[in-house]
PDB file of all heavy atoms in Angstrom:
ATOM      1  N   ASN A  93      -2.216  -1.425  11.986  1.00  0.00           N
ATOM      2  CA  ASN A  93      -1.271  -2.328  12.623  1.00  0.00           C
ATOM      3  C   ASN A  93      -0.052  -2.575  11.729  1.00  0.00           C
ATOM      4  O   ASN A  93       1.089  -2.617  12.208  1.00  0.00           O
ATOM      5  CB  ASN A  93      -1.983  -3.653  12.950  1.00  0.00           C
ATOM      6  CG  ASN A  93      -1.131  -4.599  13.731  1.00  0.00           C
ATOM      7  OD1 ASN A  93      -0.630  -4.276  14.805  1.00  0.00           O
ATOM      8  ND2 ASN A  93      -0.948  -5.796  13.196  1.00  0.00           N
ATOM      9  N   ALA A  94      -0.271  -2.720  10.429  1.00  0.00           N
ATOM     10  CA  ALA A  94       0.842  -2.928   9.492  1.00  0.00           C
ATOM     11  C   ALA A  94       1.775  -1.727   9.496  1.00  0.00           C
ATOM     12  O   ALA A  94       3.005  -1.881   9.484  1.00  0.00           O
ATOM     13  CB  ALA A  94       0.305  -3.179   8.082  1.00  0.00           C
ATOM     14  N   VAL A  95       1.202  -0.534   9.528  1.00  0.00           N
ATOM     15  CA  VAL A  95       2.035   0.670   9.575  1.00  0.00           C
ATOM     16  C   VAL A  95       2.802   0.716  10.891  1.00  0.00           C
ATOM     17  O   VAL A  95       3.990   1.077  10.928  1.00  0.00           O
ATOM     18  CB  VAL A  95       1.196   1.947   9.361  1.00  0.00           C
ATOM     19  CG1 VAL A  95       2.046   3.193   9.548  1.00  0.00           C
ATOM     20  CG2 VAL A  95       0.561   1.940   7.976  1.00  0.00           C
ATOM     21  N   ASP A  96       2.153   0.321  11.994  1.00  0.00           N
ATOM     22  CA  ASP A  96       2.845   0.305  13.284  1.00  0.00           C
ATOM     23  C   ASP A  96       4.058  -0.628  13.242  1.00  0.00           C
ATOM     24  O   ASP A  96       5.158  -0.249  13.664  1.00  0.00           O
ATOM     25  CB  ASP A  96       1.892  -0.116  14.405  1.00  0.00           C
ATOM     26  CG  ASP A  96       0.850   0.944  14.711  1.00  0.00           C
ATOM     27  OD1 ASP A  96       1.026   2.113  14.293  1.00  0.00           O
ATOM     28  OD2 ASP A  96      -0.161   0.608  15.359  1.00  0.00           O
ATOM     29  N   TRP A  97       3.881  -1.848  12.726  1.00  0.00           N
ATOM     30  CA  TRP A  97       5.021  -2.777  12.614  1.00  0.00           C
ATOM     31  C   TRP A  97       6.075  -2.231  11.659  1.00  0.00           C
ATOM     32  O   TRP A  97       7.273  -2.326  11.929  1.00  0.00           O
ATOM     33  CB  TRP A  97       4.554  -4.161  12.157  1.00  0.00           C
ATOM     34  CG  TRP A  97       4.016  -5.033  13.231  1.00  0.00           C
ATOM     35  CD1 TRP A  97       2.719  -5.398  13.422  1.00  0.00           C
ATOM     36  CD2 TRP A  97       4.755  -5.676  14.283  1.00  0.00           C
ATOM     37  NE1 TRP A  97       2.607  -6.228  14.522  1.00  0.00           N
ATOM     38  CE2 TRP A  97       3.844  -6.412  15.064  1.00  0.00           C
ATOM     39  CE3 TRP A  97       6.107  -5.703  14.637  1.00  0.00           C
ATOM     40  CZ2 TRP A  97       4.229  -7.160  16.177  1.00  0.00           C
ATOM     41  CZ3 TRP A  97       6.491  -6.450  15.747  1.00  0.00           C
ATOM     42  CH2 TRP A  97       5.557  -7.159  16.494  1.00  0.00           C
ATOM     43  N   GLY A  98       5.644  -1.641  10.551  1.00  0.00           N
ATOM     44  CA  GLY A  98       6.596  -1.136   9.551  1.00  0.00           C
ATOM     45  C   GLY A  98       7.342   0.105   9.991  1.00  0.00           C
ATOM     46  O   GLY A  98       8.389   0.432   9.425  1.00  0.00           O
ATOM     47  N   SER A  99       6.844   0.789  11.009  1.00  0.00           N
ATOM     48  CA  SER A  99       7.490   2.023  11.474  1.00  0.00           C
ATOM     49  C   SER A  99       8.559   1.774  12.537  1.00  0.00           C
ATOM     50  O   SER A  99       9.265   2.689  12.919  1.00  0.00           O
ATOM     51  CB  SER A  99       6.440   2.973  12.046  1.00  0.00           C
ATOM     52  OG  SER A  99       5.941   2.479  13.291  1.00  0.00           O
ATOM     53  N   ARG A 100       8.662   0.558  12.995  1.00  0.00           N
ATOM     54  CA  ARG A 100       9.584   0.246  14.075  1.00  0.00           C
ATOM     55  C   ARG A 100      10.643  -0.746  13.629  1.00  0.00           C
ATOM     56  O   ARG A 100      10.422  -1.433  12.645  1.00  0.00           O
ATOM     57  CB  ARG A 100       8.782  -0.311  15.264  1.00  0.00           C
ATOM     58  CG  ARG A 100       7.946   0.804  15.889  1.00  0.00           C
ATOM     59  CD  ARG A 100       7.001   0.255  16.919  1.00  0.00           C
ATOM     60  NE  ARG A 100       6.325   1.261  17.673  1.00  0.00           N
ATOM     61  CZ  ARG A 100       5.314   2.004  17.225  1.00  0.00           C
ATOM     62  NH1 ARG A 100       4.880   1.885  15.995  1.00  0.00           N
ATOM     63  NH2 ARG A 100       4.733   2.875  18.010  1.00  0.00           N
ATOM     64  N   PRO A 101      11.774  -0.831  14.297  1.00  0.00           N
ATOM     65  CA  PRO A 101      12.157  -0.118  15.512  1.00  0.00           C
ATOM     66  C   PRO A 101      12.298   1.392  15.272  1.00  0.00           C
ATOM     67  O   PRO A 101      12.555   1.825  14.154  1.00  0.00           O
ATOM     68  CB  PRO A 101      13.499  -0.733  15.911  1.00  0.00           C
ATOM     69  CG  PRO A 101      13.917  -1.611  14.807  1.00  0.00           C
ATOM     70  CD  PRO A 101      12.807  -1.755  13.844  1.00  0.00           C
ATOM     71  N   TYR A 102      12.107   2.128  16.328  1.00  0.00           N
ATOM     72  CA  TYR A 102      12.112   3.578  16.262  1.00  0.00           C
ATOM     73  C   TYR A 102      13.330   4.077  15.489  1.00  0.00           C
ATOM     74  O   TYR A 102      14.448   3.651  15.734  1.00  0.00           O
ATOM     75  CB  TYR A 102      12.086   4.186  17.678  1.00  0.00           C
ATOM     76  CG  TYR A 102      12.107   5.684  17.663  1.00  0.00           C
ATOM     77  CD1 TYR A 102      10.962   6.398  17.320  1.00  0.00           C
ATOM     78  CD2 TYR A 102      13.268   6.376  17.956  1.00  0.00           C
ATOM     79  CE1 TYR A 102      10.976   7.784  17.281  1.00  0.00           C
ATOM     80  CE2 TYR A 102      13.292   7.770  17.924  1.00  0.00           C
ATOM     81  CZ  TYR A 102      12.150   8.456  17.579  1.00  0.00           C
ATOM     82  OH  TYR A 102      12.170   9.820  17.531  1.00  0.00           O
ATOM     83  N   ALA A 103      13.071   4.976  14.548  1.00  0.00           N
ATOM     84  CA  ALA A 103      14.088   5.629  13.708  1.00  0.00           C
ATOM     85  C   ALA A 103      14.783   4.675  12.740  1.00  0.00           C
ATOM     86  O   ALA A 103      15.693   5.068  12.029  1.00  0.00           O
ATOM     87  CB  ALA A 103      15.112   6.372  14.558  1.00  0.00           C
ATOM     88  N   ARG A 104      14.376   3.407  12.695  1.00  0.00           N
ATOM     89  CA  ARG A 104      14.977   2.442  11.763  1.00  0.00           C
ATOM     90  C   ARG A 104      13.925   1.588  11.069  1.00  0.00           C
ATOM     91  O   ARG A 104      14.257   0.555  10.480  1.00  0.00           O
ATOM     92  CB  ARG A 104      15.963   1.532  12.509  1.00  0.00           C
ATOM     93  CG  ARG A 104      17.170   2.270  13.063  1.00  0.00           C
ATOM     94  CD  ARG A 104      18.140   1.351  13.768  1.00  0.00           C
ATOM     95  NE  ARG A 104      17.583   0.889  15.034  1.00  0.00           N
ATOM     96  CZ  ARG A 104      17.464  -0.387  15.393  1.00  0.00           C
ATOM     97  NH1 ARG A 104      17.871  -1.346  14.609  1.00  0.00           N
ATOM     98  NH2 ARG A 104      16.930  -0.708  16.556  1.00  0.00           N
ATOM     99  N   GLY A 105      12.679   1.999  11.129  1.00  0.00           N
ATOM    100  CA  GLY A 105      11.596   1.208  10.544  1.00  0.00           C
ATOM    101  C   GLY A 105      11.697   1.107   9.029  1.00  0.00           C
ATOM    102  O   GLY A 105      12.255   1.980   8.358  1.00  0.00           O
TER     103      GLY A 105
END
Side-chain angles (χ1 to χ4, degrees):
N93 186 56
V95 174
D96 290 344
W97 278 109
S99 71
R100 290 172 172 75
Y102 179 75
R104 295 181 289 126

